Amino acid sequence: MDYLIDGRKFSLSYSELKDHYARFLVMTDDEFMKNILSAAHLACIISYLKELSITNTVGDLGIVHQLIHLAAGTEGPCVNISEIREEFKTLLLLS
């Protein structure tokens, strides 16, 4: 599907998003980390399409926020790759 935002043309394929999401689910943690910026980008797109709340996306425990913490190498009690990947899997599920 093609759409316009501020006169700029964008394209989106739901089936391609689903395939991209599925590839992240089977990655090892190392592979996931090597593709973390792509994961964050995908999280942004899917969050927008699913109309997820700010709390679930960019809030302190939001999926996009947590992916950025992983990318930045932040350490802390809430930055756990296993928990973040589980949240990625469930919150961003496309049916």
Side-chain angles (χ1 to χ4, degrees):
M1 120 177 110
D2 293 329
Y3 59 99
L4 295 175
I5 297 178
D6 293 333
R8 296 179 186 168
K9 183 179 175 182
F10 294 86
S11 295
L12 176 70
S13 167
Y14 191 79
S15 62
E16 286 178 14
L17 280 180
K18 283 180 70 172
D19 291 345
H20 196 42
Y21 163 82
R23 284 191 295 275
F24 277 100
L25 299 185
V26 297
M27 288 181 184
T28 65
D29 286 350
D30 286 340
E31 291 169 328
F32 191 87
M33 287 303 298
K34 287 178 184 169
N35 292 281
I36 193 71
L37 294 179
S38 182
H41 184 250
L42 182 63
C44 289
I45 295 167
I46 294 174
S47 296
Y48 177 74
L49 289 175
K50 291 182 75 170
E51 299 179 346
L52 297 179
S53 72
I54 290 172
T55 300
N56 287 328
T57 55
V58 296
D60 285 335
L61 297 175
I63 188 63
V64 174
H65 190 154
Q66 290 299 306
L67 289 167
I68 299 305
H69 274 301
L70 282 179
T74 306
E75 294 182 14
C78 298
V79 183
N80 177 299
I81 190 166
S82 296
E83 291 175 8
I84 294 168
R85 290 195 68 185
E86 185 60 31
E87 185 73 5
F88 183 97
K89 178 181 177 182
T90 58
L91 191 63
L92 304 179
L93 176 66
L94 296 171
S95 53

